[in-house]
């Protein structure tokens, strides 16, 4: 299901402006001000996000409030999320540098592009490792325990416990079910 929206709507424009103000504060914050950065993320991200999320600047997003990140997530430099629909990132997710997640897209019909844009949620499971410069496209769901090779372009849903790579990304290895110790 695609969700049409009008990015020029005054409320959305105000929401993006507010997000950009917080993002500037976050990206310009001193490296040693870990608590200050966490406080900014608590204002920016969905309130259901964990309080131990770690993101290296520079970080970019459209709204912030559509992004929910689980506990023990570690996100490297130059992370970009177009969060025009919900983007959910699970627990214990590692995200490499330069990763882009797109919930936003445009209609294929050029006449429709003049009137509205489209968005579709993106979901990333638990214990996922996303290599550097991966692109995740709108509407994709990634299962638990997935490893995504650097530079992959993820265009379709991915099952749990696999390694994927390539453009478009495809399964290159099936992993055994992990046995976590209690």
């Amino acid at each position: 299901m695609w969700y049409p929206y009008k990015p020029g709507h005054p409320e959305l424009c105000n929401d993006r402006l507010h997000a950009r103000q917080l993002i500037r504060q976050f990206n310009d914050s001193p490296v040693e001000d870990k608590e200050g950065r966490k406080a900014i993320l608590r204002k920016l991200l969905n309130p259901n996000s964990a309080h131990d999320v770690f993101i290296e600047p520079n970080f970019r997003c459209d709204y912030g409030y559509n992004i929910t990140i689980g506990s023990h997530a570690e996100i490297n430099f130059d992370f970009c999320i177009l969060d025009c629909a919900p983007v959910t990132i699970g627990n214990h997710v590692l995200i490499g540098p330069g990763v882009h997640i797109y919930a936003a897209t445009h209609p294929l019909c050029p006449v429709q592009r003049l009137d509205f844009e489209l968005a579709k949620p993106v979901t990333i499971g638990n214990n996922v490792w996303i290599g550097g410069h991966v692109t995740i496209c709108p509407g994709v769901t990634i299962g638990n325990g997935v490893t995504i090779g650097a530079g992959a372009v993820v265009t379709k849903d991915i099952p749990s416990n696999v390694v994927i790579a390539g453009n478009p990304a495809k399964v290159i290895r099936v992993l055994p079910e992990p046995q976590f110790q209690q």
Side-chain angles (χ1 to χ4, degrees), residues 6 32 40 90 93 98:
K6 294 185 179 245
E32 64 277 357
I40 295 167
V93 173

Side-chain angles (χ1 to χ4, degrees), residues 4-103:
Y5 69 98
K6 294 185 179 245
H9 187 280
E11 184 178 351
L12 294 178
C13 290
N14 287 336
D15 290 350
R16 282 194 308 276
L17 175 63
H18 177 71
R20 281 171 182 58
Q21 291 166 339
L22 291 171
I23 291 165
R24 177 177 275 274
Q25 290 174 25
F26 179 82
N27 288 337
D28 291 346
S29 64
V31 68
E32 64 277 357
D33 189 11
K34 291 179 171 64
E35 291 307 312
R37 285 183 177 175
K38 285 182 181 181
I40 295 167
L41 289 176
R42 281 193 296 274
K43 292 178 190 174
L44 178 64
L45 301 176
N46 185 293
N48 292 322
S49 292
H51 292 286
D52 62 353
V53 171
F54 178 79
I55 301 176
E56 285 280 9
N58 282 328
F59 169 58
R60 298 276 186 260
C61 68
D62 280 323
Y63 302 100
Y65 54 67
N66 285 323
I67 303 168
T68 304
I69 304 177
S71 65
H72 301 96
E74 294 186 21
I75 301 168
N76 217 315
F77 300 103
D78 300 322
F79 184 46
C80 177
I81 303 180
L82 301 185
D83 63 314
C84 302
V87 174
T88 305
I89 299 171
N91 300 319
H92 301 278
V93 173
L94 305 174
I95 297 178
V99 169
H100 286 205
I101 299 174
Y102 305 142

